[in-house]
Amino acid sequence: MDERESFLEESKTLKDRRNKLDKLVSEGREPYKSKFVEPDELAHSDGLCKRYADLGAGELSGERVSVAGRIMAIREHGGATFFDLLDSSGRIQLLFRENILGRDRYRDSLNLDVGDIVGVTGEMMRSKRSELTVSVESFELLSKSLRPLPEKWHGLKDKEIRYRQRYLDLIMNEETRSVFKARTEIIKRIREFLDERGFTEVETPILQLIPGGASARPFVTHHNALDIDLYLRIAPELYLKRMLVGGYERVYELSRNFRNEGISTRHNPEFTMLEVYWAYADYSDMMRLVREMITDVVIYAKGDSLIEVSGEKIDLLKPWEEITMLESLSKYANLELSIEMETSELCMIAEQNDILIPQGAGPGWLIAELYEKLVEPKLVHPTFVLDYPEEISPLARGKADSPGFTERFEVLIGGHEIANAFSELADPLEQRRRFEEQLRKRALGIEEAHALDEDFLTALEYGMPPAGGLGLGVDRLTMLACGCASIRDVILFPHMRPQEGERRGRES
RNA sequence: GGGCCGGUAGCUCAGUUGGCAGAGCAGCGGACUUUUAAUCCGAAGGUCGCAGGUUCGAUUCCUGCCCGGCCUACCA
């Protein structure tokens, strides 16, 4: 049996395509060509639109171009046929005519299908109905498509297919293409923004012996040669701080992080986080930096400073609010709390608000939990929430004038955490005490508590300069900029439960 | 993990108070040399998510399972 036969099933549409393919092969025509013209000689639809903007309806340009792409529509009119061609820059119309191509080649062109990838050469013209068109003089089938594309008018709507077969989503939905274009622009602009300010991009380990820098459960893997378990990083933080010890003053990493936790509209097991460390700066410097960066990046990617979150319009150029966590609880939840309150009293308030209290929860944890539940969703306009409890901030510098709190803030936009930053804790003895506190939580069964990283403490003992650090969720920033409700809309290949058959394919 | 909603032709969707499964588009055959959701004529196309149960008969009712979406909980 021909090996090409084994993978396509019985559907009639698929059989028709297979028959066309077989016919091409039997006639000695290669349905998968190696090359059309020199790639640099290919014109693109957006460039042609600009170049021939002045061409009038019905006019010929007298100039020859070559374009290549996927056939998206075919409109046949006897001796003339229109095709819509999609390339990476957009769409352009092709016109195939029998009197230009000759009878045989014109007949060949009618065997092309929607979905096929073709290269054509011809004269640029504008049709009577004012559509910029390539009047095809020669063409080649470059890749035969064996599967029908989704419907041309309604497109591809099924979210499951859009996520599982993103290539189809990209072919069919201009909106999807523009979201991922924006994502690329955002990441590019983040680099430019930081590079312009003297920051250096580095790459630190993804495989870590001790997964540190955040509170989360890690993925575990195994190194065979060393015969040790390693963890996929949950954050690059502790390595970037080692860079500060090593003498880097401004450093950042665009870090793919992995967290072995739930999947939701705001959580993907792997996600992209920017982390920035700035020596001799503190959290107030980081506030300025992150506000400027978010505003700059969104304007660059989107063209303006206006974003929309669940129907609410937000102008990033308007002043951002600043409020401490305790003040916010007073203002938005009418709760007057303090870190000196008895744990039992705070527990009672938490329980009244349907918060499940784990063993070992102290006042700081309870206050932060109440804040997250009662205040966060209300912070739609960009807001800096300042002064997080030390209990939930084991890597942040304590706040001198308010014991129990740290010099830490988060940026809330549209009710979601976009960034998290603090003045870094540089004191190795205090850091050890904080780690030991985390170990006590671990002993109580809280898996997400930080692990003690002895090598990191050693680095701190050599001396780390005072510094501000920042983490920013790149996926969430993209969601904000593009108005996407789900993180899956901004990740090219979001994680999905495998379908029946996917595993089998992998094992065979 | 819990709740709600969904899975019917390649795609977008109807439908069956339990009795031969429907449309549009795509595809196939035909007509048509400036259309752009082209138009016109013709013939096709289905494991109704999967597995059980009830029934003379299940795509429809019941149970379980799989997959997805939204909300919710944990987390960023």
Side-chain angles (χ1 to χ4, degrees):
Chain A
M1 175 162 108
D2 190 310
E3 60 197 27
R4 278 170 165 153
E5 247 160 334
S6 55
F7 70 101
L8 291 179
E9 320 73 31
E10 313 72 32
S11 149
K12 180 145 190 314
T13 322
L14 294 178
K15 271 186 181 157
D16 288 335
R17 291 284 177 104
R18 277 303 313 279
N19 291 339
K20 281 190 184 178
L21 180 82
D22 292 343
K23 188 152 174 279
L24 286 169
V25 171
S26 72
E27 288 167 356
R29 300 197 224 182
E30 173 56 52
Y32 298 99
K33 300 266 188 341
S34 67
K35 192 165 173 178
F36 175 46
V37 295
E38 290 305 319
D40 289 341
E41 288 171 18
L42 278 178
H44 284 88
S45 52
D46 61 344
L48 293 171
C49 273
K50 276 182 206 141
R51 206 157 100 207
Y52 294 100
D54 296 333
L55 200 62
E59 279 179 22
L60 297 167
S61 71
E63 291 171 13
R64 222 136 255 101
V65 300
S66 293
V67 291
R70 187 184 299 277
I71 296 171
M72 295 302 288
I74 300 175
R75 295 178 292 281
E76 206 186 316
H77 296 266
T81 302
F82 292 96
F83 288 72
D84 287 345
L85 189 80
L86 177 72
D87 68 18
S88 65
S89 69
R91 280 189 189 229
I92 190 146
Q93 180 169 266
L94 312 178
L95 174 57
F96 288 64
R97 277 178 291 189
E98 190 168 14
N99 60 342
I100 288 179
L101 288 160
R103 200 168 160 192
D104 289 350
R105 283 304 274 163
Y106 185 70
R107 213 203 318 260
D108 289 341
S109 78
L110 295 182
N111 274 322
L112 294 172
D113 288 301
V114 170
D116 287 353
I117 293 173
V118 295
V120 306
T121 302
E123 184 179 357
M124 284 311 299
M125 55 168 274
R126 195 174 290 279
S127 73
K128 284 177 190 166
R129 300 282 174 96
S130 260
E131 183 80 21
L132 192 66
T133 302
V134 182
S135 174
V136 176
E137 291 161 6
S138 64
F139 69 93
E140 276 189 62
L141 169 64
L142 301 178
S143 287
K144 186 70 193 162
S145 168
L146 295 180
R147 291 181 185 272
L149 288 177
E151 205 244 356
K152 63 183 171 189
W153 186 240
H154 298 94
L156 180 65
K157 288 186 173 170
D158 188 310
K159 285 199 171 183
E160 184 170 358
I161 302 178
R162 291 179 54 193
Y163 295 146
R164 286 192 196 276
Q165 296 175 271
R166 181 70 86 185
Y167 45 90
L168 283 180
D169 189 24
L170 288 164
I171 291 169
M172 297 308 298
N173 295 319
E174 160 64 25
E175 247 182 72
T176 304
R177 294 195 289 271
S178 78
V179 165
F180 289 105
K181 192 176 164 205
R183 185 183 171 114
T184 299
E185 299 285 297
I186 284 168
I187 289 170
K188 180 178 162 209
R189 188 60 195 165
I190 286 172
R191 286 203 164 97
E192 283 174 2
F193 181 93
L194 290 168
D195 293 346
E196 280 165 11
R197 283 160 183 75
F199 286 85
T200 301
E201 182 173 7
V202 297
E203 293 180 291
T204 67
I206 293 171
L207 293 174
Q208 300 184 348
L209 197 56
I210 298 162
S215 303
R217 278 186 290 170
F219 286 94
V220 192
T221 186
H222 189 79
H223 192 291
N224 289 338
L226 298 177
D227 192 25
I228 49 168
D229 281 341
L230 290 172
Y231 300 89
L232 272 62
R233 70 175 162 206
I234 54 175
E237 173 151 355
L238 300 187
Y239 283 93
L240 291 171
K241 285 181 177 171
R242 285 171 170 96
M243 299 303 290
L244 293 176
V245 172
Y248 279 64
E249 290 183 10
R250 300 179 187 211
V251 66
Y252 71 96
E253 179 162 14
L254 279 158
S255 164
R256 187 73 64 90
N257 294 344
F258 305 85
R259 299 191 184 175
N260 204 340
E261 282 163 358
I263 295 176
S264 78
T265 48
R266 282 182 294 281
H267 301 87
N268 195 61
E270 54 183 292
F271 64 102
T272 304
M273 168 155 280
L274 168 72
E275 288 209 4
V276 183
Y277 291 84
W278 186 3
Y280 311 112
D282 68 3
Y283 78 146
S284 64
D285 297 302
M286 300 319 278
M287 284 167 71
R288 202 162 26 83
L289 184 79
V290 72
R291 184 173 55 76
E292 285 174 14
M293 180 163 63
I294 288 174
T295 310
D296 179 278
V297 161
V298 169
I299 290 174
Y300 180 87
K302 250 196 110 228
D304 62 54
S305 61
L306 297 169
I307 56 175
E308 199 172 324
V309 186
S310 48
E312 290 214 53
K313 288 200 174 18
I314 297 166
D315 187 351
L316 294 173
L317 287 174
K318 286 189 179 161
W320 293 20
E321 310 214 356
E322 288 177 31
I323 192 167
T324 69
M325 187 179 281
L326 285 180
E327 286 165 0
S328 77
L329 279 158
S330 166
K331 180 174 172 185
Y332 293 98
N334 209 21
L335 280 175
E336 306 298 333
L337 305 179
S338 94
I339 199 87
E340 283 92 26
M341 283 169 75
E342 290 296 328
T343 305
S344 58
E345 194 182 346
L346 283 166
C347 278
M348 224 175 63
I349 298 170
E351 273 166 4
Q352 282 164 8
N353 287 286
D354 301 321
I355 289 168
L356 284 173
I357 300 161
Q359 248 196 320
W365 187 92
L366 291 160
I367 287 170
E369 201 63 21
L370 282 162
Y371 153 79
E372 277 182 31
K373 178 138 193 175
L374 303 174
V375 179
E376 268 195 1
K378 296 181 179 171
L379 301 177
V380 174
H381 185 79
T383 303
F384 292 109
V385 177
L386 301 158
D387 301 353
Y388 276 58
E390 183 187 299
E391 187 182 340
I392 58 156
S393 315
L395 302 167
R397 180 185 185 85
K399 201 168 155 79
D401 55 357
S402 41
F405 291 96
T406 57
E407 293 190 2
R408 170 179 174 188
F409 69 84
E410 285 194 2
V411 175
L412 274 286
I413 304 178
H416 298 307
E417 300 160 24
I418 298 299
N420 173 26
F422 32 91
S423 305
E424 300 298 338
L425 177 58
D427 176 344
L429 303 177
E430 170 69 4
Q431 183 65 78
R432 182 177 293 278
R433 193 186 65 75
R434 301 270 194 96
F435 272 142
E436 279 163 358
E437 183 63 34
Q438 291 292 313
L439 290 184
R440 277 192 284 281
K441 293 213 171 199
R442 267 189 176 235
L444 292 172
I446 300 172
E447 281 181 75
E448 296 83 11
H450 288 231
L452 189 149
D453 187 334
E454 197 62 59
D455 180 74
F456 172 65
L457 288 172
T458 302
L460 287 190
E461 285 164 12
Y462 281 97
M464 184 180 84
L470 166 75
L472 181 143
V474 172
D475 311 279
R476 289 186 178 178
L477 182 60
T478 307
M479 287 167 69
L480 270 186
C482 297
C484 295
S486 170
I487 196 168
R488 289 180 158 176
D489 295 327
V490 302
I491 290 175
L492 279 170
F493 300 98
H495 280 280
M496 305 282 279
R497 194 182 292 275
Q499 281 179 316
E500 190 89 20
E502 276 189 84
R503 284 217 185 99
R504 235 184 303 137
R506 202 175 57 200
E507 282 159 10
S508 62

